[in-house]
Amino acid sequence: MERLNMLTVSLALVLVLTQINCSSSSKLHRVKKGQILGFDWKNCGQPDDPAVLKSLKVSPDPISIPGDLTASASGSTSVELASPLSLNVTLEKEVAGFWVKIPCLEELGSCHYQDACDLLDQVIPPGQDCPEPLHTYGLPCHCPFKAGSYSLPQSDFFLPNVDLPYWLTNGDYRVQGVLGSQGKELACLKISLALHSD
């Protein structure tokens, strides 16, 4: 359950704070023989996708679990994001210079989620206040997410020690998430990151 909670909190941050699409990218990412040398994000959807990521900064690099994480993000959506919101995740790990797709195991990895809104409700029950710092900045943590702009100023989080499966520990990862509703793509985001777990 802790692994699902970590996934869902990450999903909540993506949904609530970034509201994704396809136009800009950070320029911190470089690849040398398959190795990630910096956190990177890139919108990967269609030009008319309604949800747009404008900025996303995360440190430290690599991300440590357990450990402190500093993040800021901004984005917007031109349509309300309401249940059901399908989410297709593709997760790859760098192994000996090659990118290997990780299958969906125990609801982690390259998985299809019928409704991301249900995942959020599992972590933060409806009616419960949103966790900090979302509450402080008036950011929602449940569907529906109204059309508009969202912004999270630089904020500190603590990533707790969780029992990660062996295939999701130290290493370089690429993850792509495609958000959709009623057969229509709403957003697509690719993230490259490095994880360090004790």
Side-chain angles (χ1 to χ4, degrees), residues 19 48-52 76-82 85 144-148 150 181 184-187:
Q19 310 305 323
D48 61 348
D49 279 357
V52 180
S76 64
T77 178
S78 61
V79 299
E80 181 177 79
L81 302 178
L85 284 176
F145 298 97
K146 294 178 181 178
Y150 294 85
S181 179
K184 179 175 172 31
E185 181 178 299
L186 300 176

Side-chain angles (χ1 to χ4, degrees), residues 128-149:
Q128 182 176 321
D129 285 342
C130 294
E132 292 299 339
L134 304 183
H135 183 75
T136 295
Y137 295 113
L139 294 170
C141 58
H142 293 287
C143 298
F145 298 97
K146 294 178 181 178
S149 295

Side-chain angles (χ1 to χ4, degrees), residues 78-179:
S78 61
V79 299
E80 181 177 79
L81 302 178
S83 182
L85 284 176
S86 65
L87 179 63
N88 286 307
V89 175
T90 303
L91 180 64
E92 297 175 301
K93 181 176 183 177
E94 190 274 326
V95 178
F98 297 95
W99 289 101
V100 177
K101 182 177 176 180
I102 297 175
C104 186
L105 302 169
E106 300 177 29
E107 295 189 33
L108 290 175
S110 299
C111 300
H112 172 75
Y113 302 96
Q114 294 289 337
D115 192 359
C117 297
D118 287 344
L119 293 175
L120 293 174
D121 289 346
Q122 288 177 29
V123 173
I124 307 162
Q128 182 176 321
D129 285 342
C130 294
E132 292 299 339
L134 304 183
H135 183 75
T136 295
Y137 295 113
L139 294 170
C141 58
H142 293 287
C143 298
F145 298 97
K146 294 178 181 178
S149 295
Y150 294 85
S151 180
L152 176 74
Q154 183 171 310
S155 302
D156 295 326
F157 300 87
F158 178 74
L159 300 177
N161 191 18
V162 291
D163 183 24
L164 294 171
Y166 71 91
W167 47 266
L168 192 59
T169 54
N170 297 331
D172 294 330
Y173 295 88
R174 296 191 308 201
V175 60
Q176 175 177 298
V178 179
L179 193 65

